[in-house]
Amino acid sequence: MTAPTESGIDIWDDDIVVDPYPTYAQLREQSGVVHLPENGIYVLTRYDIIRDVLGDPTTFSSTTLGFNPMVNEALQGTSLASDPPTHTQLRATLSENLTPRALRGLKATIEEKADRLVAELVAGGGFEAVDSLARVFPIEIVADLIGFNGHVKDNMMRWGQAAMQVLGPMNHRTQESFPIAGELYGWCSSVTADDLTPGSIGRGIFDAETRGDIPKGSAGHIIHQYLGAGVDTTVASIGNIVALFGRHPEQLRLVRENPELVPAAFAEVLRFWTPLHIWGRTTTRDVEIDGALVPAGAQLGILLGAGNRDPRHYTNPDVFDVTRNPVDHLSFGYGPHGCAGQGLAKLEGHAIIGALARHVRSITVDDGVRAPSNMTRSLETLQVLEVVGV
């Protein structure tokens, strides 16, 4: 068995993280697993390989899902950075309040908020879509859900972005974000049930700790995950919705004429512009991947966006097509660590797409600005230059 093929690129180079798709294509054609000596990792590039790895936590551990030792140490004992059976117990409490049944009561509220916000923005003419829509909407939803208020709600965006940045290698972005992520970690370490709104999911997590359903002291860690993992990626997705419908007016028209396409349209947004650039796993033994031997203890970088554009799996993968309905896309991960918050993310994404389809005949956007980021690929600004209401 041969050693994996190599590439001299830096997967966190500013130009690559802003537009990774040419690099994804190059690496994917090279091999299903490529060693990047510059980063000290092995990246996975093809759909089937990524899905197999995500589905096998015994061989591919989540205990070092970040790309620097400091963050991996900080995450020890959390649901994100644990393997079964510990993961199963911690995850159950995290997921309990995020099942379709648990979220059913929220659906109408989320749809009403999306409809009101989009209607106001459309009535006002042009608007900046990231600050006034992509950030405002999920922060309000998550704050209400978990019971955040006051300075916590005000800091959610800063904290959520930093919590993702620090998962990267020890570059300047990670170093600048550690103090901010530390504020979030410090708050989560000291938060009590009384700090959260009565009746909120956050209170419910503390109730589970009191009952002994989860280990003592883990409620704060679980709340950390709602904020750390749930905000930044959803913000990215909503910005991408507006940008893609601005670039592809015929796709917005299709959804407007066929409202049943809303879920398929959101799945296609997530597939076409994957919110997460890279995610980590570690091999627990020597293992063969795509005919090459990857050694035990190797750090893997899973390129979800490369898998989502793999022509071996999707026909015409570089075309944005809301009729495709790629329900098996990789943006929520797969297997036991599949995104616990995907039900909530879908409610939010569907609500925004539905509201745009109801209120917008056409939308013209600028190219938008993306700032280099270690983990999340999102728009920093996106100006809606013109919007024509229905």
Side-chain angles (χ1 to χ4, degrees):
M1 204 181 303
T2 58
T5 174
E6 289 190 355
S7 168
I9 67 156
D10 169 7
I11 200 67
W12 284 285
D13 176 85
D14 285 5
D15 291 339
I16 290 175
V17 292
V18 167
D19 180 17
Y21 286 99
T23 302
Y24 288 166
Q26 174 194 327
L27 291 169
R28 193 174 52 232
E29 289 319 299
Q30 191 173 331
S31 178
V33 57
V34 180
H35 183 213
L36 306 184
E38 175 80 13
N39 305 121
I41 64 173
Y42 296 79
V43 290
L44 308 182
T45 67
R46 295 179 186 168
Y47 182 95
D48 288 345
I49 289 166
I50 290 171
R51 194 159 153 137
D52 287 349
V53 165
L54 292 174
D56 181 2
T58 306
T59 310
F60 305 100
S61 171
S62 291
T63 50
T64 55
L65 65 88
F67 296 93
N68 71 78
M70 275 178 70
V71 77
N72 286 325
E73 190 177 330
L75 287 172
Q76 287 312 298
T78 66
S79 164
L80 265 183
S82 59
D83 296 320
T86 308
H87 170 260
T88 312
Q89 182 192 17
L90 293 170
R91 165 90 176 211
T93 305
L94 179 65
S95 306
E96 183 184 349
N97 301 293
L98 294 170
T99 61
R101 178 177 294 175
L103 292 170
R104 201 171 293 147
L106 279 175
K107 187 171 186 284
T109 308
I110 288 174
E111 287 175 350
E112 281 165 24
K113 283 184 175 176
D115 200 78
R116 187 169 63 245
L117 183 54
V118 169
E120 283 170 11
L121 291 170
V122 170
F127 57 93
E128 201 289 304
V130 177
D131 270 343
S132 58
L133 180 61
R135 288 181 179 151
V136 167
F137 183 65
I139 283 176
E140 190 175 319
I141 300 296
V142 173
D144 288 352
L145 189 68
I146 312 303
F148 296 137
N149 44 47
H151 86 285
V152 179
K153 188 172 179 179
D154 295 341
N155 279 296
M156 279 174 66
M157 193 68 230
R158 278 177 72 243
W159 286 356
Q161 284 180 325
M164 293 300 285
Q165 286 282 32
V166 297
L167 292 170
M170 200 51 90
N171 58 18
H172 69 93
R173 290 189 282 270
T174 298
Q175 290 170 24
E176 287 164 8
S177 299
F178 257 116
I180 303 166
E183 291 174 29
L184 168 61
Y185 191 82
W187 181 81
C188 289
S189 300
S190 61
V191 64
T192 66
D194 293 341
D195 296 323
L196 304 167
T197 312
S200 64
I201 281 180
R203 279 281 183 103
I205 292 168
F206 274 96
D207 292 343
E209 187 180 287
T210 304
R211 288 194 306 269
D213 294 349
I214 55 172
K216 192 159 181 56
S218 59
H221 285 315
I222 292 172
I223 288 165
H224 181 278
Q225 279 179 244
Y226 274 98
L227 220 167
V231 174
D232 205 26
T233 47
T234 309
V235 169
S237 305
I238 293 173
N240 289 343
I241 288 168
V242 180
L244 286 167
F245 281 144
R247 292 186 184 194
H248 302 276
E250 77 291 348
Q251 299 296 309
L252 177 59
R253 189 177 69 247
L254 274 171
V255 181
R256 198 170 65 247
E257 292 168 356
N258 308 278
E260 70 278 5
L261 281 176
V262 165
F266 187 50
E268 179 67 349
V269 168
L270 292 172
R271 182 201 71 82
F272 189 77
W273 276 352
T274 306
L276 273 175
H277 171 49
I278 192 167
W279 204 244
R281 287 289 187 272
T282 309
T283 54
T284 59
R285 59 179 175 84
D286 290 355
V287 60
E288 182 188 341
I289 302 177
D290 199 25
L293 183 66
V294 177
Q299 180 74 49
L300 302 182
I302 300 173
L303 300 179
L304 300 164
N308 278 336
R309 296 275 193 104
D310 188 349
R312 295 161 191 79
H313 190 77
Y314 294 112
T315 307
N316 298 325
D318 296 324
V319 173
F320 177 65
D321 175 10
V322 297
T323 67
R324 184 192 302 272
N325 198 23
V327 291
D328 59 352
H329 68 79
L330 298 165
S331 296
F332 289 132
Y334 177 73
H337 273 276
C339 174
Q342 61 184 282
L344 180 62
K346 287 175 187 173
L347 280 186
E348 294 174 76
H350 296 174
I352 293 293
I353 291 174
L356 287 169
R358 283 190 298 278
H359 292 288
V360 174
R361 186 167 300 284
S362 72
I363 190 165
T364 308
V365 297
D366 69 4
D367 290 339
V369 174
R370 291 186 188 272
S373 175
N374 287 335
M375 307 298 289
T376 315
R377 184 169 178 265
S378 63
L379 285 152
E380 202 60 32
T381 64
L382 178 71
Q383 191 63 42
V384 173
L385 304 169
E386 185 187 13
V387 60
V388 179
V390 171

